Amino acid sequence: MKKYLLLFIIFFLTKIVRAQEQPTYTQYMFNQQTFNPAYTGTWETLGFTLINRSQWIKFPKYPQTNDLSIQSPIFNLNSAVGLNVSNNRIGLENRTGIFGDYSYKIKLNDNGLNLRMGLKAGISIYNNNLTDYRIVDTNDPAYNNNIGNDITPNFGVGLFLWNQKSFVGLSVPKILNQELSVNNSDIQLTPSSTILYLTAGHVYDLSSDWKLKPCVFVQMDWNSPFQYDVSANFLYKEFLWLGAMYRLGDAIGAIVQINVKNDFRIGYAYDLTISNMSSHQEGVHEILLTFEINTMKVHYQSPRHF
């Protein structure tokens, strides 16, 4: 098993190539399946995550992302499977992703330290209404026709190391950097991109009522400055999360989450842009819902800390 793990890590690292920006979530610590297939199955329950992120709402056809993730363990095989469906709309451009996830769990010691290795595979569907753009050269052949339902396959890999208090994740959810030719012209669009994600966090017990969870989220691109988020969230009586976030050179944010029941959580995050775009938008709104069904009647951490 150690030999196969080493081969997996080597393959993982050799596939990290140039990247373009992907949707970013402020509440990423509860939504890691979107970008890391190895997170699938860490809940040890049948779980559902739904997230909506709306930004730059002053602009017409403002960017909006919707994402649904489903995960379920397969206990007899020490494995888990999942499904991730996402839609990312920016202006007249629309991207839909449908990806399946698989992870395999390795128990590293008797103190609750586990490692999951994950695979992600699926398709991206790309649409762009090029004929609706306002252009200077109306005879430009690149804008004579729309791009409709162009399908590109892709796959990714991930690692997730965790115990009851800490986690570290490393993933490349889309390895293939695919391009589309537009109307047989020299202009090319990139419907999907390759990017490296690194996440880490730890839960500290401050008192019988309070916990503190600092986290970091890094997106790496070899051809441009990397992006990272740092956040700190306080948990009161396993019921209320209150936190703050800083995204390097881009935004600050606030996070509120309520554990309505042990198996149902509602979260809201608000980002305030601090870049040059700050005067042109009214912030970013993000809503997250999670729901769990413990069909196997096994012990699991509830409410969930990450």
Side-chain angles (χ1 to χ4, degrees), residues 23 68 72 131 141 171 173 192-193 199 215 248 257:
L68 170 65
S72 177
T131 58
S171 64
S192 61
S193 57
T199 58
C215 296
L248 178 65
Q257 284 197 17

Side-chain angles (χ1 to χ4, degrees), residues 74-91:
I74 307 176
F75 291 102
N76 293 336
L77 299 178
N78 222 23
S79 303
V81 293
L83 175 68
N84 182 248
V85 180
S86 62
N87 178 261
N88 187 28
R89 186 198 71 193
I90 303 176

Side-chain angles (χ1 to χ4, degrees), residues 24-28 51-54 247 267-271 284-288:
T24 298
Y25 300 102
T26 301
Q27 300 173 87
Y28 61 86
I51 191 165
N52 169 269
R53 183 176 174 86
S54 302
R247 184 172 301 122
Y268 173 77
Y270 178 79
D271 296 3
V284 180
H285 305 273
E286 184 179 288
I287 300 173
L288 179 142

Side-chain angles (χ1 to χ4, degrees), residues 20-275:
Q20 286 80 37
E21 185 178 357
Q22 291 286 295
T24 298
Y25 300 102
T26 301
Q27 300 173 87
Y28 61 86
M29 66 289 294
F30 294 107
N31 192 38
Q32 299 190 53
Q33 185 184 342
T34 300
F35 54 87
N36 190 345
Y39 184 78
T40 306
T42 56
W43 292 9
E44 302 289 353
T45 63
L46 174 61
F48 303 84
T49 301
L50 180 64
I51 191 165
N52 169 269
R53 183 176 174 86
S54 302
Q55 51 190 323
W56 301 352
I57 58 176
K58 277 188 175 182
F59 291 92
K61 298 187 181 298
Y62 56 86
Q64 188 173 100
T65 300
N66 294 284
D67 190 281
L68 170 65
S69 298
I70 304 172
Q71 60 168 290
S72 177
I74 307 176
F75 291 102
N76 293 336
L77 299 178
N78 222 23
S79 303
V81 293
L83 175 68
N84 182 248
V85 180
S86 62
N87 178 261
N88 187 28
R89 186 198 71 193
I90 303 176
L92 301 176
E93 181 184 80
N94 194 295
R95 309 182 188 197
T96 300
I98 304 173
F99 285 82
D101 297 312
Y102 171 81
S103 73
Y104 183 80
K105 177 182 175 182
I106 301 174
K107 182 180 178 181
L108 298 181
N109 61 30
D110 294 328
N111 297 321
L113 183 63
N114 300 283
L115 174 70
R116 279 192 178 269
M117 300 182 294
L119 295 173
K120 180 184 287 286
I123 60 172
S124 296
I125 305 171
Y126 184 82
N127 292 272
N128 201 332
N129 298 328
L130 298 176
T131 58
D132 292 338
Y133 284 89
R134 296 179 181 178
I135 59 177
V136 176
D137 183 3
T138 57
N139 295 319
D140 190 335
Y143 293 87
N144 287 342
N145 297 294
N146 294 327
I147 300 177
N149 295 326
D150 276 286
I151 298 176
T152 55
N154 218 318
F155 72 101
V157 294
L159 299 170
F160 196 80
L161 180 72
W162 88 104
N163 59 21
Q164 188 175 4
K165 292 292 186 180
S166 306
F167 70 89
V168 177
L170 184 67
S171 64
V172 180
K174 293 179 180 178
I175 289 177
L176 302 178
N177 195 2
Q178 299 173 328
E179 296 181 331
L180 293 175
S181 295
V182 180
N183 300 330
N184 297 319
S185 70
D186 293 332
I187 300 176
Q188 291 183 321
L189 298 175
T190 305
S192 61
S193 57
T194 307
I195 194 168
L196 169 68
Y197 292 88
L198 172 64
T199 58
H202 183 78
V203 178
Y204 296 92
D205 293 316
L206 301 181
S207 68
S208 59
D209 292 336
W210 288 93
K211 291 180 171 64
L212 170 64
K213 181 182 65 178
C215 296
V216 62
F217 175 54
V218 180
Q219 300 182 53
M220 294 186 182
D221 176 356
W222 302 147
N223 296 323
S224 63
F226 71 90
Q227 175 181 307
Y228 71 83
D229 297 18
V230 291
S231 63
N233 292 270
F234 291 91
L235 175 61
Y236 178 66
K237 289 189 175 181
E238 302 289 350
F239 167 71
L240 177 66
W241 286 100
L242 297 172
M245 176 277 300
Y246 170 73
R247 184 172 301 122
L248 178 65
D250 180 62
I252 56 175
I255 303 170
V256 178
Q257 284 197 17
I258 298 175
N259 297 317
V260 179
K261 292 184 178 180
N262 287 342
D263 53 9
F264 181 57
R265 178 172 57 246
I266 299 175
Y268 173 77
Y270 178 79
D271 296 3
L272 183 63
T273 301
I274 57 176
S275 67

